[in-house]
Amino acid sequence: MQPSFRCFNESIYQQACTRVTPLLREQDASLVEKWTEFEWQAIWYSGAFGTSFRAVSGSLVEIVQFGFWNREPGPDFVHASLRVDGGRLLEGDIEFDMHVADWERHGHSQNPAFDRVVLHLFLHKSGASHFTRTTQNREVTQIHLQGEIDLLHIHPPIAHPGRCCAPLRSLPKQTIDSLIETAARIRMQRKADQLRRITIAHGLDEALFQAFAVALGYKLNKIPFLVLAQRARLQLLRELGPAAESLLFGISGFLEDRKTHRAMSIDPDYCRYLWEHWWQIRGQFAHLILRQNLWRFGMTRPSNHPHRRLGALAVLVRRWKEVRLLPPRLEDVAEWMDGLSHPFWDHHFTLNSRRTARPFHLLGQTRINEILANVIHPMLVATNQDDWESYKKIRAELGNRRLMIVCKRLFGETNRAREHIRCLYQQQGLLQIFEDFCLADTTNCAGCRFPEMVAKARQDHQP
Ligand code: SF4
């Protein structure tokens, strides 16, 4: 019997996604010295310390969910949940430090990225009392982990398989894909609705321009790119003509940075071109210049550096007439974006990097796919011009950490996940399941309704 997609209609999916002392034995003080902080984090995440602890304050802390290992700036583990003294569930992040004083030494108490931390783990303490506080002066529960463990798993996975792993294993591939496709359609509809709302407020051109900017800022610089697109509005940029690129770079604050002045000696022509216009209009727009600490420059490939992405946004502004005349076919839009080029940015990673011998694409394939999924197709859906079957054909590489986590949670191993992540719509569907179920769950899968939804699908599809 052919699997039917009936049981995965969008309404069923929507209904489902509503949103004491450690048991440690072996004493070996030398272990504490032997391992790095990263290795200790791995041991913690493997569960080797157990799940019940006595906090420094004397409270009983039970770890309900270890969360996901954050390999990016910020707390070490995100989306964890725990119960203190048998009370209500606390959801948030976990920070692991070697010494209790590291919280202050590393500036976490002044860093809003640590405001969601609900648990501070540490291995060492001194005689003095140390309190763990967030920027809002909220006290964070502390646990002093003793250097005693009886089980070592130094290389734990990025996430643990979830309760849905078993029922999904018994579903035919096509049925799993129909479920993923349902989630992908829901995700696309939400993006289209969002674009529609921005269009009502700002008009279609500005809405598209902002969506392009956010897609180019993905993922660490979405906010500064959005703010930039709101301050340097498309209409203003188009009126400025040749000065538009200078305005974008000027408001971004990149031209204020002393280090970029060195670029003058590396490629004087481009910097002179940017400054030629910027110094004339700077007085008018200086109040709009972005704070430099909004930008994140680390953790990105050189070709994704914000300077380069901003260069790509400037090209889009220059060719906006063509953007609006593009045919509503994804392959044509992808081909057009693949051909975008810029005399400086085809050969440079940043404003002050040296010229590369060979040119490279202004927008790589992964970025183009992101733009198709987050800007172009939502716009086609919002304007009733979409072609879902064409969208389904777009291939994609396994790109981001969230996707790796959801593959591990749903399929256990990456090999089993492989056949469900080849296309862009599959990746988008899996990300939606992750957001609707995994991120909404604080019970370590126990209260999640996704496994039941999968089990019901299996019954419905039995011959
Ligand atoms: S929270 Fe739900 S969807 Fe996520 S892994 Fe657990 S059972 Fe699966």
Side-chain angles (χ1 to χ4, degrees), residues 382-401:
T383 52
N384 301 318
Q385 303 179 81
D386 68 302
D387 175 359
W388 186 258
E389 291 310 311
S390 299
Y391 178 65
K392 273 182 74 178
K393 287 185 198 141
I394 300 173
R395 310 279 290 188
E397 291 165 18
L398 177 60
N400 69 49
R401 198 182 62 89

Side-chain angles (χ1 to χ4, degrees), residues 162-164 409 437-438 441 445 448 450-451:
R163 192 163 65 86
C164 56
R409 301 274 284 162
F437 293 95
C438 299
D441 173 59
C445 300
C448 176
F450 188 68

Side-chain angles (χ1 to χ4, degrees), residues 271-289:
C271 286
R272 199 176 299 127
Y273 163 76
L274 290 177
W275 269 104
E276 197 174 71
H277 298 286
W278 178 237
W279 77 264
Q280 295 181 54
I281 53 179
R282 191 181 180 285
Q284 197 183 339
F285 296 104
H287 63 291
L288 299 179
I289 295 174

Side-chain angles (χ1 to χ4, degrees), residues 314-365:
V315 171
L316 287 174
V317 172
R318 185 154 34 86
R319 300 181 61 172
W320 196 257
K321 257 192 196 158
E322 292 170 59
V323 173
R324 295 297 268 115
L325 291 173
L326 282 169
R329 280 191 302 277
L330 295 174
E331 316 86 73
D332 294 343
V333 178
E335 197 182 324
W336 181 83
M337 284 194 287
D338 191 47
L340 289 179
S341 138
H342 186 290
F344 181 85
W345 293 112
D346 286 352
H347 288 275
H348 291 83
F349 292 117
T350 68
L351 277 170
N352 45 359
S353 67
R354 299 204 168 274
R355 185 181 167 86
T356 58
R358 283 195 297 185
F360 51 107
H361 282 279
L362 190 59
L363 293 175
Q365 198 51 53

Side-chain angles (χ1 to χ4, degrees), residues 65 160-165 168 406 409-410 433-434 437-439 441 444-446 448-451:
Q65 183 167 282
H160 301 293
R163 192 163 65 86
C164 56
C165 209
L168 273 173
V406 69
R409 301 274 284 162
L410 269 59
I433 292 170
F434 182 68
F437 293 95
C438 299
L439 288 185
D441 173 59
N444 204 21
C445 300
C448 176
R449 294 159 73 181
F450 188 68

